Amino acid sequence: MAHLTLLLLLWVGVTVSTVVDLQRIIIGGNPCERQYHVKLRVPAGPSFILCGGSLISDRWILTAAQCLKPGRTMYADLSVHPGGQVQEVEITAEPVIYTDNTSKRSHDIMLLQLQSPTDIQPIALPDCADRPQIVEIAGHGATAGGPNDERKPGNSPTLHCADVEVVDCEDLKNTLQEHFPKAYQVKVYQHWFCGQTANVDICYGDSGGGAVYKDKIYGVISFLGDPDHVCREPAAFMDLCNPDYTTWINQTIT
């Protein structure tokens, strides 16, 4: 029952910043370079990774709303790619979370503003006339599951990336609706797409990283499909080709 509760919390998204600290995993990935990739973290004894994110301009980081830790100071580590000179930046500006204008409900997508511009090359927003069949995901963390594909904690000092195939979300939606109706009520009105490839997966705390295709960001890692085992269910990404999100992003960062 405990693992079901944890999965429910992960699916709820915006209200679950307390559970996304457990681990960051890109299963089946390889070392890679993403200059725009950001580590988001808060101090808790030794500083620890909270989430990923992506620079989409010289001042703005795009990530998942569940990465917010209310009342806690958040830091963004820039230039975390191999060979980069890591820059620690404190996030002092108020986070901007997408909220539906009609229902006033929050979605699992957030913008964080840097104190000053950076000269790091950002990732471009999507070309939605060219929807991808494969996206690349990225993160720091363990690079394999445990015995019987069990999820296990871990981290890697090296950024890892992996490709995942874009798949239909109906099975995941049906699972939510049948087994986790409260989570379904939260997620059904949000805009997301799914990805799944054999021997590739994300895990707790990987939220906020970018799903990228042809040097453009098409999605933000939001939630996983199986709380206990890697590589068995699709992962879900907030869909940046939804006009609600693209309009909000452009209006916020300009």
Side-chain angles (χ1 to χ4, degrees), residues 69-83:
K69 298 282 285 185
R72 303 286 294 278
T73 302
M74 181 177 289
Y75 294 89
D77 287 343
L78 313 181
S79 296
V80 296
H81 59 280

Side-chain angles (χ1 to χ4, degrees), residues 98 107-109 189-192 238-250:
Y98 176 83
H107 293 217
D108 193 20
I109 187 169
Y189 62 80
Q190 302 188 43
H191 312 298
W192 36 280
M238 301 304 291
D239 186 359
L240 299 184
C241 280
N242 184 276
D244 292 343
Y245 297 155
T246 52
T247 300
W248 167 75
I249 290 170
N250 285 316

